[in-house]
Amino acid sequence: MAAGPKHPMGMDPDRSPTPSSSGKGLRGSKASKGIVLGGVAVVTLLLIGYCSAQEDDYDEVNAECVDLDSQQPDGSYTVVDEDYCDDDDDSHYHGSYGAYRWYYGGVRSGARVMRGTTVRPADVRIVSRQGTVIQRGGFGFRGGSGS
């Protein structure tokens, strides 16, 4: 049997690799990935839009800035200017936790508030009496003043 000269790697030099469908498959694969990524982008945008629209469905809770050192036997606190509870300004804080805190969902009577909590509720929109958005729908966002 006459064998032609062999290539050192054992390949027949007269035979060149034939084009296969694998090259075509790669192009198809890239197109499929593009379609999938485009679909994921569309779904992501729809989800973000849906979540933004749902923000209006959250319950709203009022917040008052209170002096924690002013608690009376009935559980009420003295309401102070909300600048004292401004997270960006530590000048009014003292002690390890600070003397002023947001008081959520309380009932205000004159300059005092009671029957609320200092624990920030989740999944609600929190707004101060002056219109400052403290939290939007549970995301923990702190906005600016909105009079």
Side-chain angles (χ1 to χ4, degrees), residues 2-112:
K6 293 255 180 179
H7 189 270
M9 297 296 286
M11 294 179 63
D12 188 353
D14 295 334
R15 292 188 78 176
S16 60
T18 58
S20 67
S21 62
S22 63
K24 191 178 216 179
L26 288 176
R27 272 184 255 134
S29 176
K30 287 180 183 179
S32 296
K33 287 179 184 176
I35 290 171
V36 170
L37 289 175
V40 168
V42 169
V43 170
T44 301
L45 288 174
L46 290 173
L47 184 61
I48 290 170
Y50 175 78
C51 291
S52 296
Q54 296 304 308
E55 183 177 320
D56 295 337
D57 291 344
Y58 285 103
D59 291 331
E60 188 167 295
V61 173
N62 286 327
E64 303 281 356
C65 183
V66 299
D67 179 354
L68 294 178
D69 293 335
S70 70
Q71 186 175 21
Q72 297 296 306
D74 65 357
S76 67
Y77 292 94
T78 301
V79 176
V80 297
D81 189 280
E82 73 179 50
D83 287 340
Y84 286 94
C85 290
D86 187 359
D87 293 337
D88 299 329
D89 181 12
D90 292 335
S91 64
H92 296 290
Y93 284 37
H94 66 79
S96 61
Y97 294 102
Y100 306 100
R101 285 262 191 264
W102 288 110
Y103 191 76
Y104 308 101
V107 177
R108 187 168 177 174
S109 176
R112 302 200 64 79

